[in-house]
Amino acid sequence: MDYDFMDVLITREQIQARVGELGAQISADYSGRDLTVVGILKGSVLFMADLIRAISMPLTIDFMAVTSYGSSTTSSGNVRILKDLDMNVAGRHLLIVEDIIDSGLTMQYLLRNLAARGVASLRVCTLFDKAERRLVDIHADYTGFVIPNGFVVGYGLDYNQLYRNLPDIGILHPEIYTKAGE
Ligand code: IMP
Ligand code: MG
């Protein structure tokens, strides 16, 4: 694929190596517990698919879809559930799997919402963390990569629903989203 719209930041090989490490860590930490891995649609689907195969213990999976109103490259914190979990998660150990934490507003909403369901424990695994941009005090328990400011796409992450299928992670050239009228 021609990558003239972005600079590669993290290669597919680097992602796979880090996902393997995260899976091993999670397997060790959750040994003997009822783990449910909750993927946040749609950005986490590729990460989720690889991560659960790197976890070597029984688990169940479920998904939630949320949206936050805002511009196409920033979130507003007005989060709304588009698809809720199928399962009743009371008493279960939940691990939220997210593509990226930016302002932290989406994750703050998810943590509050899921904590209110009587879960045994609640932790967060994010592939990317744009720590510099945080507006609220939210931390992931497992982080793939801390990355600099800039809009990243690929491996599930989109800009206007495009680029999710790229196997590598790239920083989108700013003219791609500035010319769209941001
Ligand atoms: P937050 O609420 O600002 O933390 O934003 C979280 C959500 O915004 C993520 O789940 C992504 O869907 C989206 N997002 C934030 N930064 C990026 C990025 O650089 N690329 C793609 N999506 C992003
Ligand atoms: Mg997302």
Side-chain angles (χ1 to χ4, degrees), residues 10-39:
I10 299 167
T11 65
R12 63 199 79 179
E13 292 82 11
Q14 291 173 304
I15 295 170
Q16 287 319 310
R18 187 70 187 117
V19 169
E21 291 172 358
L22 291 171
Q25 176 82 58
I26 291 165
S27 307
D29 292 354
Y30 284 91
S31 168
R33 300 198 204 154
D34 288 328
L35 173 62
T36 296
V37 182
V38 174

Side-chain angles (χ1 to χ4, degrees), residues 5-7 9 71-75 100 102 130 133 147-154 157-163 169-174 177 182:
F5 48 88
M6 69 175 213
D7 297 318
L9 179 69
S71 77
S72 47
T73 57
T74 57
S75 95
I100 186 164
D102 185 24
K130 282 199 254 182
R133 289 186 32 105
I147 58 170
N149 278 345
F151 203 77
V152 293
V153 295
L157 288 89
D158 74 304
Y159 170 68
N160 275 352
Q161 301 302 326
L162 287 173
Y163 312 115
I169 290 286
I171 299 210
L172 205 58
H173 292 164
Y177 50 88
E182 284 292 297

Side-chain angles (χ1 to χ4, degrees), residues 22-178:
L22 291 171
Q25 176 82 58
I26 291 165
S27 307
D29 292 354
Y30 284 91
S31 168
R33 300 198 204 154
D34 288 328
L35 173 62
T36 296
V37 182
V38 174
I40 308 305
L41 298 171
K42 305 170 204 166
S44 75
V45 286
L46 279 72
F47 178 40
M48 173 96 169
D50 287 337
L51 181 68
I52 62 174
R53 284 180 287 182
I55 301 176
S56 55
M57 53 173 286
L59 57 79
T60 59
I61 66 170
D62 207 338
F63 293 94
M64 270 178 95
V66 293
T67 186
S68 88
Y69 301 104
S71 77
S72 47
T73 57
T74 57
S75 95
S76 64
N78 292 320
V79 182
R80 188 164 63 92
I81 295 178
L82 300 176
K83 183 225 170 291
D84 206 341
L85 298 176
D86 294 337
M87 284 181 206
N88 177 350
V89 290
R92 299 196 63 88
H93 294 275
L94 250 58
L95 178 65
I96 304 174
V97 172
E98 177 63 299
D99 53 358
I100 186 164
I101 304 180
D102 185 24
S103 68
L105 292 165
T106 305
M107 190 53 68
Q108 181 180 55
Y109 174 87
L110 285 167
L111 285 167
R112 283 186 185 150
N113 184 286
L114 292 171
R117 302 187 192 198
V119 296
S121 72
L122 188 55
R123 286 187 188 174
V124 175
C125 177
T126 188
L127 181 58
F128 299 115
D129 186 349
K130 282 199 254 182
E132 292 170 39
R133 289 186 32 105
R134 201 73 90 254
L135 296 177
V136 289
D137 189 24
I138 291 291
H139 311 274
D141 302 280
Y142 306 94
T143 301
F145 303 89
V146 176
I147 58 170
N149 278 345
F151 203 77
V152 293
V153 295
Y155 194 66
L157 288 89
D158 74 304
Y159 170 68
N160 275 352
Q161 301 302 326
L162 287 173
Y163 312 115
R164 294 192 196 276
N165 57 317
L166 304 182
D168 306 300
I169 290 286
I171 299 210
L172 205 58
H173 292 164
E175 62 266 25
I176 304 285
Y177 50 88
T178 47

